[in-house]
Amino acid sequence: MRMKPVRTLSGVTPVTVLTKPWACPGNCIYCPNEPNMPKSYIESEPGAQRASFLDFDPYMQTAKRIQSLQHIGHNTEKVELIVLGGSWSVYPENYKRWFIKRCFEAMNNPNEGSPNLVETKTSWEELEVQQEINETAKHKCVGLSLETRPDLITQEEVVKLRRYGATKIQIGVQSLDDETLAKNLRGHNVATTKKAFELLRLGGFKIHAHWMVNLYGANPEKEAEDFKKLWTSDFCPDELKIYPTSVIANTKLAELYETGEYLPYSTENLIEIVGELKTLVPPFCRITRVIRDIPSQEIIAGNKISNLRQDVKKYLDKKGLKCECIRCREIKQQEVLESELKLEVIQYETSISTEYFLSFVTTENKIAGFLRLSIPFEELREEHFIEELKGSAIIREVHVYGGVVGIGKEEEGKAQHFGLGKRLIEKAEEISRENGVRNLAVISAIGTRNYYKMRGFEMENGNLYMHKTLEIMQRY
Ligand code: SF4
Ligand SMILES: [Zn+2]
């Protein structure tokens, strides 16, 4: 029996794990603070409950999830590991290495490994051994996401994030208005967020931003104005979670609500605002969520509708408006004809690079696969803070839709059959050459290394990225 196919529609099975309870240097007024949870998580949230039940053990969380998905008939060959829990960057160094190593051990062998709740001293080398095993393991890690705060992103941190094998960073932006950030005690300003985006982009990471609506001090008229700043050259995230603020017990926001200083928007208002924000999202971004999954009994005030996405869609349909984000355009399991697909190139500038979003789209503008290419401006490229990226353009993501198809296997009629990934990479090489860039790097997840090897990318011992030297065509 195979249930809930939607989980793996994008070809990859997400496995979410939580780190142990730990404090966060932040003091955000809306953030719950439960003693037995990592900061910002609530024990009754479904994912948090699972993690807590397993004592936050990384091996058990990963293995159990893979086992239960297998049990209901899912293909779990391609796993996106999503590590949640407050701010990753502030956990102790050894804990982080151990945590990720144990997750890899579970992907490498989910059925036989023994639970080991005790953190053991773990070196980078020990982690790398498990990563190497994963290159050919049955459950390959094709994406690894970590979450942190903008003010914790430094050059050194970017390198470390890469050593864990991360390909995507979830980062709390919440607002791009300094006054609102200060009122909500975010503890960092807009300039810090800009810097974090620059460093993460230079590191080739996919940037998954979190954005909040109805923060303390915000007002309906200004929401869109603030949100528009997210699409200026300083930011442009690749993925986005929109969270309407919820008032949770024992937070400073709850006190402000009690005294009448904070007022949540009405449901109607909220639907209109989220709807408007969705129409402002460019086609290279994917909106992953429009609510946070907080059980309604935990919410004193604020949004309690768990299917806000559908309500927003109805509102947009009624108004004849559309969200053009990636998620709203994915072909999902739909069969596509190669002859129907057109390669579209969207070029945009950020504060540090020229970005190319290449996508194969159908005549109805449905998206069958895409690639993100980043070409840092010349000076930044030549002086790159990561030695092995000096002089390189970088592929930050390749994603081809279709049902879950084993890596290297083919399935009739599905998007992956056409070698769309290969064609996207060839186009990225062509664009890099046209820009006079002779080196192309890719931020490969551990489990995709062999895929890129087959496409001419190489990795030497100790490398954080895979590389390919491009032949520059001579014109006579
Ligand atoms: S940064 Fe995140 S985890 Fe830390 S206090 Fe703020 S909302 Fe909570
Ligand atoms: Zn959308």
Side-chain angles (χ1 to χ4, degrees):
M1 182 177 57
R2 182 179 154 144
M3 291 153 68
K4 292 195 189 159
V6 76
R7 270 188 207 292
T8 55
L9 279 183
S10 60
V12 174
T13 302
V15 170
T16 303
V17 293
L18 247 78
T19 44
K20 67 180 177 183
W22 200 255
C24 166
N27 206 12
C28 310
I29 62 168
Y30 47 81
C31 184
N33 196 7
E34 292 207 350
N36 301 319
M37 281 284 126
K39 183 82 172 120
S40 99
Y41 287 85
I42 300 176
E43 197 156 4
S44 55
E45 287 179 81
Q49 224 166 45
R50 258 196 316 264
S52 166
F53 181 72
L54 296 169
D55 282 331
F56 300 94
D57 182 71
Y59 180 91
M60 291 303 284
Q61 291 185 69
T62 313
K64 287 267 178 221
R65 194 76 189 128
I66 291 175
Q67 284 166 11
S68 57
L69 286 167
Q70 274 182 319
H71 189 68
I72 53 172
H74 283 295
N75 183 337
T76 50
E77 286 183 21
K78 295 196 244 172
V79 170
E80 180 185 12
L81 185 71
I82 303 166
V83 182
L84 301 180
S87 297
W88 171 263
S89 307
V90 296
Y91 279 81
E93 293 300 325
N94 187 72
Y95 175 77
K96 289 187 277 193
R97 285 193 294 268
W98 171 77
F99 190 94
I100 298 290
K101 185 191 80 155
R102 293 295 284 153
C103 291
F104 271 102
E105 281 173 351
M107 286 182 278
N108 294 343
N109 199 349
N111 299 313
E112 286 159 38
S114 58
N116 174 9
L117 301 175
V118 188
E119 177 189 337
T120 50
K121 197 162 176 357
T122 304
S123 65
W124 283 110
E125 289 69 31
E126 284 167 303
L127 166 59
E128 280 155 17
V129 167
Q130 291 305 320
Q131 290 176 333
E132 260 178 61
I133 295 173
N134 190 256
E135 286 182 25
T136 51
K138 184 149 181 252
H139 311 281
K140 294 185 183 62
C141 179
V142 300
L144 200 170
S145 162
L146 298 172
E147 68 174 347
T148 194
R149 285 169 53 93
D151 53 348
L152 299 172
I153 298 294
T154 59
Q155 291 187 354
E156 295 72 38
E157 182 63 7
V158 166
V159 173
K160 271 193 211 148
L161 292 170
R162 189 59 206 131
R163 282 192 92 175
Y164 300 119
T167 51
K168 185 199 295 185
I169 304 300
Q170 299 206 45
I171 191 148
V173 174
Q174 322 308 11
S175 166
L176 288 171
D177 177 67
D178 275 336
E179 207 183 309
T180 308
L181 290 174
K183 273 193 153 172
N184 288 272
L185 303 186
R186 276 292 297 171
H188 66 85
N189 59 13
V190 175
T192 309
T193 307
K194 173 179 187 259
K195 190 77 203 147
F197 268 66
E198 289 174 350
L199 289 172
L200 290 172
R201 195 181 296 280
L202 282 169
F205 289 99
K206 186 157 60 149
I207 304 171
H208 191 174
H210 296 188
W211 183 266
M212 290 181 77
V213 175
N214 201 182
L215 280 167
Y216 175 49
N219 72 62
E221 286 72 46
K222 282 189 163 173
E223 293 279 1
E225 197 184 302
D226 194 16
F227 189 71
K228 279 180 191 162
K229 296 179 206 154
L230 199 53
W231 310 108
T232 59
S233 60
D234 289 345
F235 306 100
C236 288
D238 306 301
E239 292 190 358
L240 185 67
K241 276 183 184 168
I242 300 177
Y243 287 149
T245 305
S246 302
V247 182
I248 312 285
N250 304 320
T251 58
K252 291 193 189 82
L253 190 65
E255 289 168 25
L256 292 167
Y257 173 69
E258 299 300 337
T259 58
E261 279 174 81
Y262 173 77
L263 267 183
Y265 301 154
S266 68
T267 303
E268 217 174 33
N269 224 213
L270 190 63
I271 290 171
E272 278 172 24
I273 291 166
V274 175
E276 185 182 2
L277 301 194
K278 285 192 88 183
T279 63
L280 296 170
V281 172
F284 57 76
C285 180
R286 184 174 193 271
I287 303 178
T288 55
R289 320 200 64 157
V290 293
I291 51 150
R292 166 126 180 237
D293 219 355
I294 301 175
S296 59
Q297 73 271 15
E298 303 284 353
I299 302 174
I300 298 176
N303 176 55
K304 289 189 184 182
I305 318 171
S306 57
N307 60 345
L308 190 71
R309 187 184 277 271
Q310 286 91 319
D311 289 346
V312 169
K313 169 109 181 36
K314 270 189 225 148
Y315 167 80
L316 290 178
D317 286 348
K318 211 166 78 197
K319 290 231 144 198
L321 297 169
K322 255 188 181 168
C323 176
E324 294 287 342
C325 88
I326 295 173
R327 181 172 166 151
C328 293
R329 297 187 296 127
E330 290 164 353
I331 55 162
K332 306 217 160 41
Q333 296 286 46
Q334 191 189 320
E335 306 244 322
V336 281
L337 289 173
E338 190 172 13
S339 54
E340 231 199 81
L341 296 173
K342 182 179 85 191
L343 180 61
E344 198 179 82
V345 180
I346 298 176
Q347 181 182 338
Y348 57 101
E349 300 273 302
T350 73
S351 50
I352 55 109
S353 63
T354 304
E355 300 287 315
Y356 295 87
F357 179 76
L358 318 178
S359 62
F360 275 108
V361 291
T362 65
T363 41
E364 286 98 41
N365 201 23
K366 291 280 178 198
I367 194 159
F370 66 88
L371 179 149
R372 299 181 194 276
L373 172 69
S374 187
I375 306 189
F377 297 148
E378 195 171 356
E379 202 173 310
L380 288 163
R381 198 166 70 226
E382 299 310 324
E383 302 296 320
H384 203 294
F385 67 93
I386 300 173
E387 188 62 33
E388 65 178 276
L389 289 182
K390 282 204 161 100
S392 284
I394 182 159
I395 294 176
R396 298 191 298 118
E397 183 179 15
V398 180
H399 199 118
V400 175
Y401 293 98
V404 175
V405 180
I407 293 170
K409 292 182 197 158
E410 291 176 342
E411 197 176 302
E412 281 295 323
K414 298 276 160 57
Q416 294 184 339
H417 178 62
F418 304 125
L420 292 187
K422 179 168 175 268
R423 288 173 60 193
L424 287 165
I425 292 168
E426 283 167 0
K427 185 69 183 171
E429 291 175 9
E430 185 188 315
I431 293 172
S432 302
R433 270 193 228 102
E434 282 167 4
N435 280 275
V437 181
R438 302 191 61 138
N439 299 306
L440 183 59
V442 59
I443 184 162
S444 49
I446 309 297
T448 59
R449 284 177 183 168
N450 281 324
Y451 173 85
Y452 289 108
K453 269 182 206 157
M454 288 190 303
R455 273 151 194 80
F457 289 82
E458 287 171 353
M459 184 160 206
E460 278 166 29
N461 242 349
N463 274 8
L464 298 172
Y465 301 83
M466 294 182 77
H467 304 270
K468 185 170 184 173
T469 308
L470 305 174
E471 301 292 328
I472 301 285
M473 307 292 177
Q474 298 288 345
R475 288 208 182 88
Y476 295 100

